[in-house]
Each structure stands twice: as C-alpha cells, then as structure tokens.
Amino acid sequence: MFKDEECRGGMQSKVRLSVLLPANDDGSEKLPTLMIGRSEKPSCFVKVKSFPLKCKANRKAWMTSEIFGDWLKSLDKSTRVKKRKIILFIDNCSA
C-alpha cells in the first residue's frame, strides 16, 4: 500500500525499511549498504546467492543502538586495516 492509496480493511500498512548509505563527501568511495527490515531472511531474496548489501532485522525496521554499534565497529576495523583515519558526521540518528 502506498501513501496515496485508499486503505481497505481499516488498517494501514506497516511495511517499513531503513537503509544506511555510507559514502565520502564527493561520493567517490562508497561503503557497503546496510538494510534494516522486519525479517532476518526476506522471502523475496531466497534465491539470491551473493547479496551486495548487509541485512539486519528488527521488529520495527528501525536503526537501533545495537545495529549501529555493530556497523560502527566493522567500519572501525576496516579503516584500521587500511591505516586510515576518518571523521564521521551523523545527522538525525537517535541510535
């Protein structure tokens, strides 16, 4: 169900999806995308062999402090291996 469609049956759709798209300021370096949905293994991706993004799940498909912490630790690990230093700007993230 989409925003402009009429709701039938009295309940609005609770389909949610959050996506984290990390990149540098000019977009020349992109880090792996993080998708947060309601299902750990969505049925629409059953036959996909290699997936180009990381998937996480939580009941409301929101970014939580646990998911964000895990993502941040993996980012820190990859930058240490490359012996790089970065500065991270985050906007509108309660996690």
Side-chain angles (χ1 to χ4, degrees):
M1 175 163 299
F2 296 101
K3 187 175 181 177
D4 296 335
E5 290 183 9
E6 184 180 331
C7 179
R8 295 185 185 123
M11 296 285 290
Q12 288 191 354
S13 175
K14 297 288 184 181
V15 176
R16 305 273 191 268
L17 183 70
S18 296
V19 180
L20 176 67
L21 301 165
N24 63 349
D25 63 342
D26 65 359
S28 62
E29 182 180 359
K30 296 171 182 78
L31 299 172
T33 301
L34 174 66
M35 181 180 77
I36 306 167
R38 293 181 69 189
S39 175
E40 188 70 40
K41 295 179 181 177
S43 58
C44 60
F45 299 132
V46 170
K47 295 182 180 181
V48 177
K49 299 265 189 256
S50 91
F51 211 58
L53 48 100
K54 296 179 183 178
C55 293
K56 296 288 184 177
N58 108 13
R59 191 172 65 85
K60 294 188 176 185
W62 289 350
M63 175 67 79
T64 63
S65 56
E66 181 181 340
I67 293 171
F68 186 72
D70 291 343
W71 176 81
L72 195 57
K73 287 176 187 174
S74 69
L75 175 64
D76 183 47
K77 188 184 292 185
S78 67
T79 55
R80 284 179 188 243
V81 167
K82 296 176 185 176
K83 296 182 180 177
R84 295 182 60 195
K85 294 183 181 181
I86 63 169
I87 185 168
L88 183 63
F89 293 100
I90 302 166
D91 184 28
N92 196 20
C93 180
S94 61

